[in-house]
Each structure stands twice: as structure tokens, then as C-alpha cells.
Amino acid sequence: MIETMRLVLESVLERLRFQVTTYLPPLLAAMIILLAAYLTAALARWLLNRLFKGAGVDRFLRRSGLAFLIDSSGRLRATRIVSETAYWLILLAGFLTGLSVFNTNLTSQMTQSFVLLLPKLAVAGLILLTGFWLGHYLGRSALVWAVNESLPSPRRIAVAVRIVILFVAVVAAADHLDFARSVFLAAFIILLSGAALAASLALGLAGRDAAHRYMEDKAAREGEGGSRSLWTHL
Amino acid sequence: MSHTVLPADALRAAHTIRQADIVIGIPSFNNARTIGHVTRAACAGAAKYFPDLKSVIINADGGSTDATAEAVLSARMEDSHLLLVSTPLTGVHRLSFPYHGIPGKGSAFRLIFQMAARLGAKACAVVDSDLRSITPEWFDLLLRPILLANFDFVAPYYHRHKYDGTITNSIVYPLTRALYGLRVRQPIGGEFGVSGRLIRRYLEREDWETDVARYGIDIWMTTIAIAEGYRVCQSFLGAKLHDAKDPGADLSAMLHQVVGSVFALMGEYAPVWSRRTSSVPVDLFGFRYDVGLDSIEVNVGRMLSAFRRGCEELSEVWSKALQPETHAQVRALGRQAAEGAADFHIDDRLWTRVVLDFACAHHHRRVARGHLLPSLTPLYLARVASFVIETRDLISSQVEERIERLCQVFEEEKPYLAGQWTGETAPAPAEASRDEQAALEV
């Protein structure tokens, strides 16, 4: 019994020693790499913040509205974007290098998958950012237009425009990443069909009354001579 | 010179006519009802006042479907012997061509100017095709200062109803006068006389495909003439009576095109206007007299309602376009408008700040221009409503004094404009508090 216990203990200790001697050096190496990456990233960010001016990019950010979109104060600067991008890229590279030190099937696979996925992630991110910007821009256009045309609930119209465009961007990004493609596509089709059906029903059921009211209002306005009076003085 | 937009017919006509001293241009779109009268006035004006000069009348049409071109070509001078003392040496040519490119008044003018340049015209007059009050004397008044007194640009000067031309009175005249230092009372009047020299300058420019192609053309012509130092004068034409606007036309777009052109030209001519600190009167030709005017109905309630909606919905745009102090005052006015219209009033200084803040926001692109200019509409309507309430019981001379006061405020505020305009680090747009920001976000 005691002998069995001793054998088990020895085998556990042996396994532990093996694991420590196998994984501790790479773990230490990975931590050192990560620390070095962190220091390099921080240094790169510090240097870029001081050296890079990027006035032209700043102008583009301001004029395109991206500065306000990403940071609502509008104070987003190219320097910050570049330095933060460099910081995170170096940190990511350090992490992947640290991971590859372990040299196991799992870590190699993880590193490989991540590196392969990276361009796709970048493109998907770009699609989302574009969708976000476009949704914001067209939503605001719809808002201003609806206000000037005296349409009811301009904010709801603007929100609807933003949601539709953002949803399209999400579907496109998911499609690009091969992520739940059918789910997003189905949701998109269902939403679109639902919207079309709702619009048709609304038009069919309320159209007559609305048209009637519109004609009455128009006749009344013309009666008081004010149909175009907002603008006749131009 | 900008690339040729002349249709083949026009090139053939130019080849046949070879040369002209005077070109009279009439842009049109579905104006068959009124353009005959305008053409007859042009024929009579050319024959009566310039009998020894070769004149050509050119109608640039935007694809009318109501026989506008036929109305031009078939217009005859009735009782011409009663109008003319001397016999014209040459007949007055009448031509009508469709213009191509962006549909709009500016594209029509481009064709007219290209024909004038090709024919080597010394002077060109352009007039709207919907005028009911036009007479042959208008052409004398628009062309003679160029032909005999070496002016390059003749702007019109009319009597208008106090509620007519409010975009001129509330934005374009005060701003143009404060910026460039010349008191041209009707900078977007629509009727102009232009010298051959200035026409060539217009045609050299590359911005014909912008808002200039549409309603921005009038202020574009006036601004270039003033800012580039051409000799500018005005001619008194009496009353301007014209057809009601085309019901299908998007008249709010007209406001955006005109104001957009003013702001764009401000950017181009910033070195010019930043040096000018005051304004001077401009020579005015013609005998001034009082005339009867068509009354104009305005619906103040609807204008204020549009303003209230703007205050409720457009704060997210205005907070970026206006300085915090100006925006706060506008919001206070929104609350006042909600309480009642009777004593609604926009102070001249506040209105001036609104316009100047929008100009700076346009320049610094604080807001996308496609959002900025349309968002001015409710504010403009509020200003018109305030003006109507304020001048309801005033006669035209008193109204003119009110406009003069507004112009003086614009001139006083020019240092404010210069401060906002210069420096890439223009004061940050209105930073709403976090709570406000949350409320403003759609």
C-alpha cells in the first residue's frame, strides 16, 4: 500500500517536474517577450505622439466627419490613431511571438489561425466602420430633410435609416468573416420582407384616409392662400 | 476658357452672324407665357437705344415642353414705329438653343456667355424670362454704363415689396456688403449687365459645375466682379414684378445653393475681404421713382412652426455649427416661439452671429456641408418671421432703414468673423454637456 502510494507520488512529481521543465522556460521566455513588446509598444506610442504631425490626416478626419463619429468631442487626431495602432500592433505581435515559443500543436494552430484571420478581421472592421459612418451621415441627412419637409417624427426616420444601414454593414461583415452567415442573411431577409409587408399593409389600410386628409389639408391651405407662402418671398 | 458647351446649332449661328456688339441673354424653362414679352422688350430696347450696334438675343432653354423657344422666335414688336425714332442699321437677331449639362440658370448663362465671347460682344445683358415689369429701358440701363462709361458689371436696383427678396435682405446683401465693402443692393437680382472683359474672366473659371450651374450663378457673378476689382455700378430699373415661382421647384434648395455659393466664395476670397473694413456706396444710374408693387402674403405661424421643429430636432447639427453662446440664444428663442408668435423677435446681432457661425462652420467643415446648409432653413424662416412681425406696420423707406441697421451690425461683427475664420484651431464647436449631448443624439 505504502509502496503504491510512493509510486503514485513519484509519478506525479515526475510529471510535475517534466511539465515545469517543459513549460516554465517557454513561459518565462513568453513573459519576457511580452514585456519587451509592451515596452517597445509604449516607446513607439510615445515617439509617434511627439514626432508624427499628420495635419493632412487630421483635416481629412475633421472634414469627413470621422473625427466626430469615433470621438464625439471631435478632438480625435491622426497622431493618436497612428500611435495607438502601432501600440496595439506591437503588443499583438509580441503576444503571438510569445505564444509561438511554446511550440506545441495547439499554440502553432492558434497563431496560424489568428494570423490568417487578421486581414479578414481588418476588412470586416473597415466594413463596420464604413457602415457606421454612412449610417450616421445618411441618418443625419434624413433628419434634416424630414425636418425641412415637415414630416412627422424626423428622429424616428433618422434612427430607422441608421439601423438599416448599420444592419447591412453587420451582415456584410459577418458574411466576410464566414460567421453565422445564414443566420444574419436570414435575419436580414426576414427584416426586409417584414418592413415591405408592413409598409404595404400600412399603405393599403391607411392610404385612403391619409390621401383624403392630405387633399383636405391642401385644399384648406390653398383656400387661405398659404400653400407656398413659406417661400414665395425668396 | 472653360470647355465649349455650345450646341452645333449655336456654333453654326455664331459662324453666320460672325460678330455682335451686344448680346442679350434670356435663360428659360417653361416660360412660354411670359418670355414673349421679355423678348419684345429686348428687341425694342436694342433697336431703340442702340440702333447703330449689332445686337443678338439668345434664349438658353433648359428643355421646355411648352413652346418657349417658339415664343422667343415668333415674338414681334407691335407698333414698332411708335417706339423707334431712329431706324436701326441692322435687325436684331433672335436665337434659341437648348443648353446641356447640369439643369439650371447657371448652365444657361454659361451658354449665353460663350456665345457672347465667340461673337466678340462688348456688352451682354441677362434678364429673367418671367418678368412682367420689364421695359425696353432696362436694356439701356443695363448696357449703357458698360458701353459708354467703361463699367464692367451693372447690378440691378429695384423697388421690391418689403417681404420680397428676404434672402437678399437678410443674408446676401448684408454679408456681401460687409465682406467686400461695396453696397450692391441687389447682388442676386437676376438682371445684370456684363462687359466682354468680365465675361472672358467668368469663362476662364473652372467652377461652373458647382452650385454656380444652378441658382448660385447670380452671387457668383457679383462676387467675382467686386472681389477682383472690376468696375461695378447699379441701375435703377423700377419695380421687379415676376411670375410666381414654379410650384415644382424646390425653393429651399435655392436658399442652399445661394448661401452655399456665398460661403464657398468667402473661402476663395478670404485674402480680399479680410483686408476691407468698411463699405462704400456704389454708383447708381437711372432716375428713381416710386412704383406700385404686388402684395406678398407670408404665413408667420408656419414659419415659426418650422423653426420650433428645427429647435427640437436639429440641435445635434446646430450645436456643432454655432458657437455655444449663439446656440444657447437660439434655443431660448425656440422656447419663446413655442410660447407665442406675437412678440417673437430675433435680434440683428444674434442673426448676424448665426450667419457668420454658419459661414465659419462651412469653412472649417465642422459639419458635413450637405447637412449644414439645409439645417439653416428653419433659422432663416425664423428670421423672416421676425422681420415680418417687426416691419408689419412700416413703410418701405422705414424697412430700408431696418435693413441698413442690419448691414451695420454685419460690418461691426466682421472682426468676430475674422477671428473665427482664421487659425486652424478655431474655437471648438459648441460642446454640449454630457446630459445635453445624450439628449441631442438621435
Side-chain angles (χ1 to χ4, degrees):
Chain A
M1 180 69 180
I2 291 169
E3 184 61 19
T4 312
M5 284 284 287
R6 191 182 59 81
L7 285 173
V8 168
L9 202 62
E10 270 179 9
S11 76
V12 167
L13 283 173
E14 179 59 26
R15 206 163 51 241
L16 199 65
R17 188 187 61 80
F18 174 77
Q19 281 183 342
V20 166
T21 52
T22 308
Y23 292 115
L24 194 60
L27 188 67
L28 284 173
M31 283 173 73
I32 289 167
I33 289 170
L34 210 58
L35 184 68
Y38 171 73
L39 291 174
T40 314
L43 183 69
R45 183 166 62 180
W46 184 80
L47 281 173
L48 283 168
N49 270 331
R50 271 145 193 81
L51 299 177
F52 183 72
K53 297 289 179 207
V57 186
D58 282 345
R59 204 160 39 244
F60 166 76
L61 286 171
R62 209 172 49 245
R63 290 181 175 183
S64 64
L66 279 171
F68 287 100
L69 188 71
I70 299 167
D71 175 4
S72 62
S73 72
R75 294 202 184 98
L76 187 68
R77 294 287 175 267
T79 311
R80 200 177 138 206
I81 293 177
V82 170
S83 63
E84 289 293 327
T85 308
Y87 174 82
W88 286 105
L89 278 177
I90 294 170
L91 216 57
L92 188 68
F95 176 74
L96 290 175
T97 313
L99 208 61
S100 65
V101 168
F102 289 93
N103 200 25
T104 61
N105 280 344
L106 182 68
T107 55
S108 300
Q109 218 170 12
M110 277 172 69
T111 312
Q112 206 175 10
S113 309
F114 198 78
V115 168
L116 286 175
L117 193 65
L118 211 57
K120 280 194 161 193
L121 272 177
V123 173
L126 204 64
I127 291 172
L128 280 179
L129 187 67
T130 308
F132 195 48
W133 177 81
L134 201 64
H136 193 75
Y137 183 87
L138 293 180
R140 189 175 274 175
S141 298
L143 176 73
V144 177
W145 170 78
V147 169
N148 283 342
E149 293 296 319
S150 299
L151 296 181
S153 308
R155 280 184 195 231
R156 284 186 190 161
I157 294 172
V159 168
V161 169
R162 280 180 196 183
I163 287 174
V164 166
I165 291 170
L166 198 60
F167 189 64
V168 170
V170 169
V171 170
D175 186 63
H176 185 74
L177 290 173
D178 280 341
F179 176 72
R181 181 182 273 182
S182 55
V183 174
F184 276 108
L185 204 62
F188 182 64
I189 291 168
I190 289 168
L191 195 77
L192 206 66
S193 316
L197 183 66
S200 312
L201 285 172
L203 202 71
L205 293 172
R208 266 178 52 187
D209 291 342
H212 187 232
R213 277 199 304 275
Y214 173 76
M215 296 301 286
E216 273 184 352
D217 286 353
K218 191 164 184 258
R221 281 203 304 271
E222 279 172 359
E224 68 191 37
S227 66
R228 284 183 289 110
S229 60
L230 277 185
W231 292 105
T232 46
H233 48 80
L234 259 173
Chain B
M1 188 185 284
S2 60
H3 71 274
T4 302
V5 292
L6 293 176
D9 285 356
L11 290 170
R12 273 197 296 277
H15 183 72
T16 308
I17 297 170
R18 286 169 176 248
Q19 181 275 333
D21 300 301
I22 291 171
V23 165
I24 295 172
I26 311 171
S28 67
F29 178 65
N30 286 339
N31 299 106
R33 209 165 59 80
T34 51
I35 200 166
H37 170 68
V38 177
T39 309
R40 277 193 295 278
C43 284
K48 182 177 178 182
Y49 294 103
F50 307 103
D52 48 350
L53 296 180
K54 191 170 174 182
S55 304
V56 177
I57 296 170
I58 299 170
N59 163 233
D61 187 64
S64 300
T65 53
D66 65 347
T68 295
E70 287 78 0
V72 172
L73 299 174
S74 63
R76 294 276 176 273
M77 271 201 299
E78 296 107 358
D79 305 325
S80 57
H81 63 286
L82 297 178
L83 278 170
L84 308 178
V85 176
S86 54
T87 309
L89 291 178
T90 57
V92 179
H93 296 273
R94 273 169 297 158
L95 307 169
S96 179
F97 308 111
Y99 63 80
H100 301 293
I102 300 169
K105 186 177 175 182
S107 296
F109 274 27
R110 192 181 189 187
L111 186 149
I112 292 163
F113 289 158
Q114 289 199 327
M115 277 295 280
R118 192 167 277 266
L119 293 169
K122 294 176 192 138
C124 174
V126 282
V127 293
D128 282 346
S129 50
D130 63 348
L131 289 164
R132 289 185 281 115
S133 57
I134 192 168
T135 64
E137 284 69 35
W138 282 33
F139 298 94
D140 181 42
L141 289 160
L142 290 173
L143 293 167
R144 196 171 294 275
I146 296 167
L147 293 167
L148 295 186
N150 288 324
F151 280 97
D152 289 299
F153 186 79
V154 185
Y157 190 105
Y158 323 100
H159 280 313
R160 299 176 84 164
H161 187 272
K162 59 186 176 184
Y163 303 150
D164 190 16
T166 46
I167 187 171
T168 300
N169 295 342
S170 57
I171 304 178
V172 182
Y173 170 53
L175 187 55
T176 307
R177 166 177 157 170
L179 288 173
Y180 304 105
L182 277 192
R183 296 176 194 168
V184 177
R185 183 64 185 81
Q186 298 290 340
I188 54 171
E191 283 68 51
F192 299 106
V194 189
S195 69
R197 190 167 78 104
L198 185 51
I199 284 174
R200 285 192 292 280
R201 171 65 190 121
Y202 288 149
L203 292 174
E204 277 169 12
R205 292 183 56 107
E206 300 290 339
D207 50 355
W208 283 95
E209 310 281 329
T210 60
D211 277 341
V212 170
R214 293 179 276 259
Y215 286 112
I217 182 74
D218 295 335
I219 190 61
W220 180 84
M221 288 169 60
T222 307
T223 304
I224 291 170
I226 299 172
E228 297 194 2
Y230 287 90
R231 292 193 68 211
V232 175
C233 68
Q234 305 174 97
S235 281
F236 180 72
L237 303 178
K240 177 165 183 166
L241 305 176
H242 54 106
D243 259 11
K245 300 288 180 202
D246 173 13
D250 183 356
L251 291 169
S252 66
M254 184 194 276
L255 171 72
H256 312 148
Q257 287 162 22
V258 171
V259 176
S261 295
V262 175
F263 289 170
L265 289 161
M266 276 177 78
E268 182 179 345
Y269 290 115
V272 176
W273 61 254
S274 57
R275 286 198 302 271
R276 297 189 185 168
T277 52
S278 59
S279 66
V280 291
V282 180
D283 289 338
L284 175 59
F285 290 92
F287 182 74
R288 291 185 68 175
Y289 51 91
D290 281 335
V291 286
L293 297 163
D294 287 349
S295 66
I296 291 178
E297 293 295 321
V298 285
N299 190 330
V300 171
R302 285 182 62 207
M303 287 181 190
L304 289 181
S305 163
F307 174 57
R308 277 195 303 272
R309 281 174 65 84
C311 287
E312 286 162 12
E313 311 288 353
L314 293 181
S315 281
E316 72 170 79
V317 180
W318 290 353
S319 66
K320 291 186 171 72
L322 299 171
Q323 289 300 310
E325 192 187 327
T326 316
H327 187 214
Q329 290 181 54
V330 166
R331 278 185 296 173
L333 272 175
R335 288 191 288 274
Q336 190 192 338
E339 285 161 12
D343 55 349
F344 181 79
H345 174 65
I346 294 188
D347 179 46
D348 283 351
R349 202 160 297 276
L350 173 61
W351 173 243
T352 306
R353 289 272 171 120
V354 166
V355 174
L356 300 184
D357 282 354
F358 264 74
C360 292
H362 187 271
H363 174 60
H364 293 295
R365 296 187 194 245
R366 285 182 203 142
V367 187
R369 289 175 176 178
H371 300 148
L372 182 76
L373 294 171
S375 78
L376 180 62
T377 304
L379 289 163
Y380 165 72
L381 290 173
R383 170 64 195 184
V384 174
S386 165
F387 182 79
V388 170
I389 292 167
E390 199 181 340
T391 61
R392 196 161 264 160
D393 302 321
L394 302 186
I395 59 171
S396 61
S397 59
Q398 291 170 318
V399 172
E400 204 58 32
E401 280 170 23
R402 281 286 303 111
I403 294 167
E404 177 62 24
R405 282 218 300 274
L406 175 66
C407 292
Q408 282 166 6
V409 175
F410 265 83
E411 290 183 21
E412 286 164 18
E413 289 291 322
K414 205 167 165 188
Y416 170 82
L417 169 67
Q420 296 287 323
W421 188 274
T422 51
E424 280 294 294
T425 54
E431 271 298 309
S433 67
R434 283 197 177 280
D435 291 343
E436 279 175 344
Q437 195 70 41
L440 300 178
E441 285 300 324
V442 174

